């Protein structure tokens, strides 16, 4: 969004209208319009705080990748089976004990758990650094998967966030 606002403005420019249309197609029709959104954001930097625009380009590129893996074409229809990318099931990974995390990371985890009760979005932001830093800690990956579901991400995005948890070998003992 723009860092400034003018009360004299009475409409949207063509690029903003295009973004809104693509967003509606994605939201309502489940259409894969991520490539168009990314291109629009890349080609039209005006009206955005640059750091936020770059962050959104990166996010949309990830969604574009997830949608491609899920086999959705640009019109929102399922692509033929032959056109889908084959995704190998994750190889089992040995879980690492929660206690192996640093004290600061354990405190961050506990803070995210506490905040989760009132805001999945805030809990996600707090725990985000832990998700990649501790890919084999079951509790961290359980939190990641649970928050992705609570935030109601697209199914392919949820699947991607839950993949690390699914790859962990079954529990043999007690956890935290």
């Amino acid at each position: 969004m723009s860092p400034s606002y003018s009360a004299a403005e009475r409409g949207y420019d063509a690029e903003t209208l295009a973004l809104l249309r693509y967003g509606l197609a994605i939201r309502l029709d489940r259409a894969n319009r991520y490539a168009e959104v990314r291109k629009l954001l890349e080609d039209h930097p005006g009206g955005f705080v640059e750091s936020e625009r770059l962050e959104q380009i990166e996010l949309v590129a990830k969604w574009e990748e997830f949608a491609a893996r899920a086999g959705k074409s640009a019109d929102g229809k399922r692509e033929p089976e032959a056109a889908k990318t084959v995704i190998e099931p994750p190889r089992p990974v040995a879980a690492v004990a929660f206690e192996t995390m640093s004290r600061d990371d354990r405190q961050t985890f506990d803070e995210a758990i506490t905040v989760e009760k009132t805001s999945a979005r805030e809990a996600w932001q707090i725990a985000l650094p832990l998700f990649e830093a501790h890919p084999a800690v079951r509790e961290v990956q359980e939190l990641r998967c649970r928050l992705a579901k609570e935030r109601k991400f697209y199914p392919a995005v949820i699947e991607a966030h839950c993949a690390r948890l699914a790859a962990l070998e079954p529990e043999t003992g007690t956890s935290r």
Side-chain angles (χ1 to χ4, degrees), residues 105-134:
D105 284 353
R106 290 192 313 265
Q107 287 176 337
T108 299
F109 178 86
D110 289 342
E111 180 183 355
I113 293 292
T114 301
V115 172
E116 179 185 14
K117 296 170 188 158
T118 56
S119 173
R121 182 184 183 101
E122 284 182 51
W124 180 271
Q125 291 302 318
I126 292 167
L128 195 56
L130 302 177
F131 298 154
E132 292 301 317
H134 302 286

Side-chain angles (χ1 to χ4, degrees), residues 44-59:
H44 301 284
F48 290 91
V49 174
E50 184 63 9
S51 62
E52 292 176 2
R53 184 180 73 87
L54 293 174
E55 182 180 301
Q56 289 304 308
I57 290 171
E58 184 180 325
L59 183 62

